[in-house]
Amino acid sequence: MASPSGVSVESSCLKQFHQNFKMRSSKGKYMVFRISDDLKQIVLHSQGDKDTTFEQFIEKEFPATECRYAVYKMDFTTEEGEREKLVLFSWVPSSCGVKAKFLHAASIDAIKKSTRCSNHFQCL
């Protein structure tokens, strides 16, 4: 599934996403993606297990000079009981170049559609 920028999500990312988040036995807490060096695909950068805290995720995975996408499994409690939601983060630090920021913004639809994450946050 390509975005308006022509960047698509690498098929192995989608398989790994399904294993991490869609299977009942999944152990994944988050996945971080980046645009490949050839600027043609969104590829898996890293992933974390279920024991990773949100603070560890933020500290470890968002560099000061590079854009990233991340899907994080957010656990919370409501009156009905335990819940979880997948949240898509778009990380765009101000120190990135204009071209990187533009390509990142123009490619987010590909990862949104592929992961079907309805909750999206842009982090600047």
Side-chain angles (χ1 to χ4, degrees), residues 11-51:
S11 63
S12 64
C13 288
L14 299 177
K15 289 177 187 174
Q16 189 66 41
F17 176 82
H18 180 75
Q19 289 176 342
N20 278 3
F21 298 123
K22 298 299 182 185
M23 300 176 75
R24 289 191 181 264
S25 63
S26 69
K27 296 180 179 161
K29 185 68 171 179
Y30 69 84
M31 295 178 72
V32 178
F33 307 92
R34 65 177 181 81
I35 296 177
S36 62
D37 294 337
D38 65 4
L39 308 179
K40 293 183 179 181
Q41 291 190 309
I42 295 172
V43 297
L44 180 64
H45 175 73
S46 63
Q47 51 191 333
D49 64 24
K50 66 179 181 174
D51 297 326

Side-chain angles (χ1 to χ4, degrees), residues 17 20-22 26 28-31 54 57 70-78 80-89 115-121:
F17 176 82
N20 278 3
F21 298 123
K22 298 299 182 185
S26 69
K29 185 68 171 179
Y30 69 84
M31 295 178 72
F54 186 74
F57 160 68
V71 176
Y72 185 85
K73 188 188 302 183
M74 187 73 70
D75 300 311
F76 58 97
T77 305
T78 67
E80 291 100 32
E82 297 290 318
R83 300 276 188 241
E84 64 182 42
K85 289 269 185 194
L86 294 181
V87 179
L88 175 64
F89 290 91
T115 61
R116 296 183 180 154
C117 284
S118 58
N119 303 300
H120 169 237
F121 294 94

